[in-house]
Amino acid sequence: MTEANGSRRELRSEAWFSGLNMFTFAHRSWNGRGYPPDVFDGRPVIGICNSWSELTTCNAHLRIVAEHVKRGVWEAGGLPLEFPTMSLGESLMKPTTMIWRNLMSMDVEESLRGNPIDGVVLLCGCDKTTPAQLMGAASVDLPTIVMPGGPMLNGQWGEEEVGSGTDLWRISDMRKRGEISDAEYLSIEAGYSRSDGHCNTMGTASTMSAMAEALGTTLTGAAAIPAADSRRRALAHITGRRIVQMVHDDLRLSQILTPEAFHNAIATLHAIGGSTNAVIHLPAIAGRLGFGLPLERFDELSRRVPFLANLKPNGEYLMEEFHQAGGVPAVMGEIRDTLELGAMTASGATMGENLAGIEADGRVIRKRSNPLSADGGIVILRGTLAPGSAVIKRSAAAPELLHHRGRAYVFESRQELLDHIDDEDLPVDANTVLVLKNGGPKGGPGMPEWGQLPIPTKLLRQGVTDMLRISDARMSGTSYGAVVLHTSPEAAAGGPLSVVQTGDEIELNVDERRLDLHVPAEEIQRRLEGWTPPPPHYTRGYGRLFIDNVLGAEDGCDFDFLRADGVEHADYGPMYARMGHS
């Protein structure tokens, strides 16, 4: 490959395929499969990293997307070689795909590192597949571009359009209240997921596709085109062309995933009212590149960036309408004054150049002058119950609960919650604060999406639609409500959450960013001194590796040994020493 100065830059793949010796002979001949000899003439080898799986329903169409990427690669003079990696299906895998996000990232990293690949296209869609692929690719740092699979078409229930997850919770509550029959419930199911693609609300899948675009790792507009739309396939073709040029230009992922890119992603996260799960995934990706992403950055931008995207679970519309309204570029165009417009993108242009002339429609994507809220959607909390941090999606909560003080009702485990949440004599009312322990990275295990604790049936019948709920777990990006998540240190690690008791008073004050346990400090210390850690969920295999090495939520739940050298992670030793707890 010829450089601009006339010198020749050797491609990585040439170490496998170029020259006449026993090893290159073997590599070329074993990879023959009908290729003419000149495909090994030094052209860029493009890996198509495919998270396709029939068990990952969001990604089940990615084989088709891959074929369109290949067309573009061939057209641009590259050699496309598709390879599979582990796939993480949010709707089917138990106990949670979050346990295997790091494993999938390792699969991607080692597949890239060990094979003759000059550049890679990441085919993703479902919640964890996007961050896992970016984490793995960031650790290798080849020319990289993301090609999301896109959201499914809007669901239909008679004349009403229904969204993934968000309307499922609502419709299921209607059934529990006796407002719809079992037969009608099943009829809704038939029109709920009408096409290929990931969730059609601004859940975690749509959020992480939006983050990939806001980070600059996709072509402009890639996040929101529906999976069933022919424009998704055309974009895949263009993406195949583009990755070949990125290899020629030696435009590597580290030149795109800069601190400025993460600034843009966090600002966009607030403007779209995106999933709280991005607060875990973005620091994990940044950690692979050698810099931390403190949660203070999320909170600082939350105060500066308005909430603009009128999408479920926080608004009215679904991803089809979001795409028609201009998608992620239209949102970013409205907040361009808060963005780092000089950030480089996979298109080869800066973010500012990509956004030139783009405006919001004012209805699905509000104008900055007429936001849904002047503040961003996600708030970082701290206090005596969350000395590390906690997260709440302000845009999805009942406003009257954003400052609330009430008595706790505690569930020590998920199973205890499931066994008793619908008891008619459960001693709770609308002011009660529901607390779930042991849902964090070590305690879940894997930090499952348990955070949207169900409202007790007896309260649903009384017309209660929201109440304050607190846990160290995550929640689905399609969920909603006054739900405090990611409370850290988690209960299984001996954080204050571990010793909350039924009857304790808890206060949430979102404006002041506070989450406090109103129990005297000496009583908290006494309880912690008597606390016993729960037994580990795993004693062998990958589960043991996870439990022994996973970092806390505020550090992205990555493994300590996978972060780039020099990246600091939270140390709660001094805090525990002050509390008299080792």
Side-chain angles (χ1 to χ4, degrees):
M1 181 173 293
T2 304
E3 302 273 23
N5 62 8
S7 63
R8 189 178 185 282
R9 178 171 61 83
E10 186 171 303
L11 290 173
R12 185 170 178 269
S13 60
E14 291 185 66
W16 279 263
F17 295 131
S18 292
L20 297 177
N21 59 58
M22 178 179 68
F23 302 106
T24 58
F25 178 103
H27 295 150
R28 289 190 300 266
S29 62
W30 287 338
N31 275 279
R33 298 195 313 278
Y35 290 141
D38 61 358
V39 302
F40 301 111
D41 61 1
R43 69 183 66 202
V45 176
I46 304 300
I48 301 176
C49 179
N50 200 341
S51 58
W52 169 88
S53 169
E54 290 184 340
L55 290 169
T56 305
T57 52
C58 304
N59 297 16
H61 62 299
L62 290 183
R63 273 182 164 175
I64 298 170
V65 176
E67 291 304 314
H68 289 269
V69 174
K70 289 177 187 177
R71 292 181 188 180
V73 172
W74 282 118
E75 182 181 337
L79 171 60
L81 295 176
E82 182 182 354
F83 64 95
T85 64
M86 185 177 191
S87 192
L88 305 177
E90 199 67 33
S91 59
L92 296 180
M93 290 187 86
K94 297 186 184 304
T96 170
T97 55
M98 189 63 184
I99 290 181
W100 297 293
R101 183 203 63 180
N102 297 347
L103 180 60
M104 182 180 175
S105 80
M106 295 166 73
D107 187 358
V108 171
E109 175 179 348
E110 302 308 333
S111 294
L112 294 177
R113 199 180 297 283
N115 281 296
I117 294 171
D118 300 307
V120 62
V121 181
L122 305 176
L123 301 189
C124 52
C126 199
D127 295 19
K128 308 304 177 298
T129 60
T130 304
Q133 286 185 328
L134 278 170
M135 290 163 69
S139 296
V140 182
D141 196 25
L142 298 175
T144 302
I145 193 167
V146 175
M147 180 62 216
M152 68 178 74
L153 299 175
N154 294 356
Q156 292 180 344
W157 173 21
E159 296 183 357
E160 182 181 351
E161 293 187 332
V162 292
S164 309
T166 302
D167 286 306
L168 172 62
W169 324 136
R170 176 177 65 88
I171 292 164
S172 295
D173 285 347
M174 291 173 67
R175 177 174 169 268
K176 289 171 74 173
R177 289 193 296 263
E179 296 172 9
I180 59 174
S181 66
D182 288 355
E184 188 168 11
Y185 191 69
L186 290 173
S187 73
I188 299 168
E189 180 183 321
Y192 185 69
S193 300
R194 295 175 47 239
S195 76
D196 289 331
H198 59 65
C199 289
N200 53 25
T201 54
M202 187 50 76
T204 304
S206 292
T207 296
M208 292 315 299
S209 290
M211 294 299 93
E213 183 168 344
L215 286 166
T217 61
T218 75
L219 295 181
T220 302
I225 303 171
D229 193 315
S230 63
R231 288 170 288 187
R232 170 75 46 194
R233 300 180 185 188
L235 182 71
H237 188 126
I238 297 168
T239 296
R241 289 181 193 162
R242 178 59 198 156
I243 187 60
V244 175
Q245 187 60 48
M246 290 176 71
V247 173
H248 287 308
D249 296 339
D250 199 24
L251 178 56
R252 294 173 180 263
L253 194 53
S254 60
Q255 297 168 263
I256 296 170
L257 291 180
T258 61
E260 292 77 15
F262 284 92
H263 172 99
N264 291 343
I266 296 170
T268 304
L269 173 67
H270 291 307
I272 63 176
S275 168
T276 52
N277 287 301
V279 182
I280 292 176
H281 298 316
L282 290 175
I285 299 166
R288 296 295 184 93
L289 291 149
F291 55 88
L293 197 63
L295 298 190
E296 285 77 9
R297 196 68 180 138
F298 288 83
D299 203 58
E300 187 248 326
L301 282 170
S302 177
R303 298 174 189 269
R304 292 171 50 195
V305 177
F307 168 41
L308 302 177
N310 191 10
L311 302 173
K312 294 181 179 183
N314 314 316
E316 303 174 58
Y317 301 103
L318 296 169
M319 291 299 290
E320 273 192 77
E321 289 86 1
F322 183 63
H323 167 61
Q324 293 160 8
V328 172
V331 174
M332 297 183 77
E334 288 298 313
I335 61 167
R336 70 180 73 224
D337 61 313
T338 66
L339 300 179
E340 296 287 346
L341 297 176
M344 177 54 63
T345 73
S347 71
T350 65
M351 184 59 74
E353 290 169 330
N354 289 345
L355 299 178
I358 296 176
E359 296 183 3
D361 71 322
R363 178 177 62 94
V364 179
I365 302 169
R366 296 286 190 90
K367 297 286 188 179
R368 176 152 196 163
S369 59
N370 182 35
L372 292 158
S373 169
D375 292 337
I378 293 174
V379 170
I380 307 301
L381 306 167
R382 287 188 171 86
T384 56
L385 184 53
S389 62
V391 174
I392 187 171
K393 192 172 185 179
R394 176 179 190 154
S395 57
E400 64 272 14
L401 291 171
L402 296 177
H403 187 186
H404 180 78
R405 182 166 175 164
R407 294 195 177 277
Y409 188 87
V410 177
F411 298 98
E412 296 289 335
S413 68
R414 170 73 164 173
Q415 191 57 54
E416 183 181 326
L417 180 146
L418 295 175
D419 289 344
H420 298 291
I421 192 68
D422 292 326
D423 290 353
E424 289 297 330
D425 59 352
L426 194 71
V428 297
D429 58 31
N431 291 316
T432 300
V433 179
L434 298 181
V435 175
L436 173 65
K437 299 180 185 180
N438 297 308
K442 296 178 185 292
M447 208 177 183
E449 293 182 340
W450 294 344
Q452 190 195 23
L453 281 62
I455 294 173
T457 299
K458 77 173 200 176
L459 297 183
L460 286 173
R461 293 191 185 119
Q462 295 171 19
V464 176
T465 58
D466 199 2
M467 59 192 302
L468 183 57
R469 290 156 278 179
I470 298 171
S471 75
D472 48 8
R474 298 179 301 112
M475 76 174 181
S476 167
T478 66
S479 300
Y480 53 88
V483 181
V484 175
L485 306 155
H486 312 179
T487 304
S488 70
E490 64 171 303
L497 184 68
S498 67
V499 295
V500 176
Q501 297 177 0
T502 294
D504 289 345
E505 283 203 339
I506 294 174
E507 183 176 6
L508 167 69
N509 189 324
V510 170
D511 286 342
E512 295 183 4
R513 273 46 177 182
R514 297 288 304 179
L515 182 66
D516 289 309
L517 176 62
H518 286 288
V519 171
E522 57 272 18
E523 172 61 14
I524 295 176
Q525 179 175 328
R526 185 190 67 78
R527 294 180 188 179
L528 286 170
E529 288 172 349
W531 175 78
T532 301
H537 289 273
Y538 301 105
T539 58
R540 62 176 302 279
Y542 176 76
R544 172 69 179 271
L545 179 74
F546 184 94
I547 295 294
D548 287 350
N549 295 281
V550 69
L551 298 170
E554 65 279 15
D555 289 315
C557 297
D558 201 2
F559 290 154
D560 49 13
F561 61 84
L562 289 178
R563 286 159 73 90
D565 292 342
V567 181
E568 297 296 327
H569 58 80
D571 178 10
Y572 295 112
M575 179 197 76
Y576 287 140
R578 290 194 302 272
M579 301 175 80
H581 178 62
S582 59

